[in-house]
Amino acid sequence: DVKVTQSSRYLVKRTGEKVFLECVQDMDHENMFWYRQDPGLGLRLIYFSYDVKMKEKGDIPEGYSVSREKKERFSLILESASTNQTSMYLCASSLAGRSGIGNEKLFFGSGTQLSVL
Amino acid sequence: GDSVTQMEGPVTLSEEAFLTINCTYTATGYPSLFWYVQYPGEGLQLLLKATKADDKGSNKGFEATYRKETTSFHLEKGSVQVSDSAVYFCALNTDKLIFGTGTRLQVFP
């Protein structure tokens, strides 16, 4: 089975800190995604990547950046954390390449609950 | 733009009751439709999907039929179990996956 691993289950940070959320997948998937999940808002796409060193903005990229230096690892970076970034962050991966992005089954990690105080 | 609308939760049922969770969509073109499930403390996992009109997706006793005429993809199960308690997300894809807001299902013995 595909395994998507997020480095932390719970994280507490202070306003203004730089925060790194790490995600690793073990099935050689090309596509990787970062979502945030908030009550009443569902999942919203922050950034995604369809290849190493490639990245594209999702629906809510403001205040975030990403890094994909290796195929298996996709990092989400909060340059200066703010309280409105308190949320559950979900990483996902899928097999399809650029032409099929969004068509394939997504595999999700179990999430990182980030609290910014 | 493309969007998915789900019924508000929580849905509270007794074990063995019939379940329907409504989902309607707005999309240009011909999207694929999905139901994902999130069990407590876990990430989302694909429950079922349908890729064209009149297709029926099914898995673990759950079913959903892609209805183009009503732009709907309602999730049904004939007899729910306590272990089905989770949050259910309807989703569509055109060039990216768009999720609904999720519906929490609580099943009591």
Side-chain angles (χ1 to χ4, degrees):
Chain A
D1 276 354
V2 174
K3 196 169 172 73
V4 179
T5 303
Q6 295 184 229
S7 53
S8 304
R9 183 73 180 95
Y10 298 97
L11 212 52
V12 179
K13 296 292 181 182
R14 297 246 176 238
T15 302
E17 280 193 74
K18 190 169 186 176
V19 181
F20 293 85
L21 302 183
E22 305 288 347
C23 175
V24 176
Q25 50 93 5
D26 66 358
M27 283 301 290
D28 205 35
H29 281 176
E30 291 165 334
N31 298 337
M32 296 189 75
F33 307 81
W34 276 106
Y35 291 87
R36 62 178 283 177
Q37 181 181 7
D38 299 288
L41 297 176
L43 274 70
R44 292 179 292 167
L45 182 62
I46 304 171
Y47 267 96
F48 62 99
S49 167
Y50 54 86
D51 202 353
V52 176
K53 296 194 186 294
M54 305 300 288
K55 60 185 179 184
E56 291 202 19
K57 293 180 180 179
D59 299 318
I60 52 163
E62 296 78 19
Y64 303 93
S65 62
V66 289
S67 171
R68 190 145 182 223
E69 295 296 319
K70 294 184 178 181
K71 192 174 186 180
E72 67 270 18
R73 185 180 296 271
F74 192 36
S75 303
L76 180 69
I77 303 155
L78 286 66
E79 294 290 342
S80 177
S82 62
T83 53
N84 63 13
Q85 293 178 309
T86 291
S87 185
M88 171 68 79
Y89 289 88
L90 293 171
C91 175
S93 71
S94 70
L95 182 60
R98 178 82 171 116
S99 60
I101 197 164
N103 290 317
E104 295 293 325
K105 174 181 173 179
L106 261 62
F107 295 83
F108 281 84
S110 54
T112 296
Q113 179 64 52
L114 172 67
S115 297
V116 182
L117 306 178
Chain B
D2 297 346
S3 66
V4 175
T5 302
Q6 287 183 239
M7 62 188 290
E8 297 261 345
V11 173
T12 304
L13 295 172
S14 297
E15 211 164 22
E16 299 184 1
F18 184 86
L19 168 71
T20 300
I21 300 179
N22 290 339
C23 171
T24 57
Y25 68 91
T26 302
T28 53
Y30 303 96
S32 295
L33 301 173
F34 306 82
W35 277 100
Y36 278 79
V37 58
Q38 185 180 30
Y39 297 104
E42 299 183 13
L44 280 71
Q45 55 186 276
L46 181 65
L47 180 61
L48 53 85
K49 72 175 185 180
T51 57
K52 63 182 187 298
D54 299 325
D55 266 4
K56 178 185 282 189
S58 61
N59 185 25
K60 300 182 179 180
F62 291 89
E63 292 183 340
T65 302
Y66 189 142
R67 301 282 188 204
K68 190 166 179 290
E69 63 277 11
T70 54
T71 61
S72 66
F73 193 55
H74 304 322
L75 182 68
E76 297 181 336
K77 187 174 185 182
S79 175
V80 294
Q81 305 300 312
V82 172
S83 57
D84 293 327
S85 297
V87 182
Y88 292 82
F89 291 89
C90 185
L92 69 81
N93 111 276
T94 48
D95 62 344
K96 63 180 180 180
L97 208 55
I98 296 171
F99 288 89
T101 54
T103 302
R104 182 175 298 280
L105 170 65
Q106 297 173 323
V107 181
F108 294 96

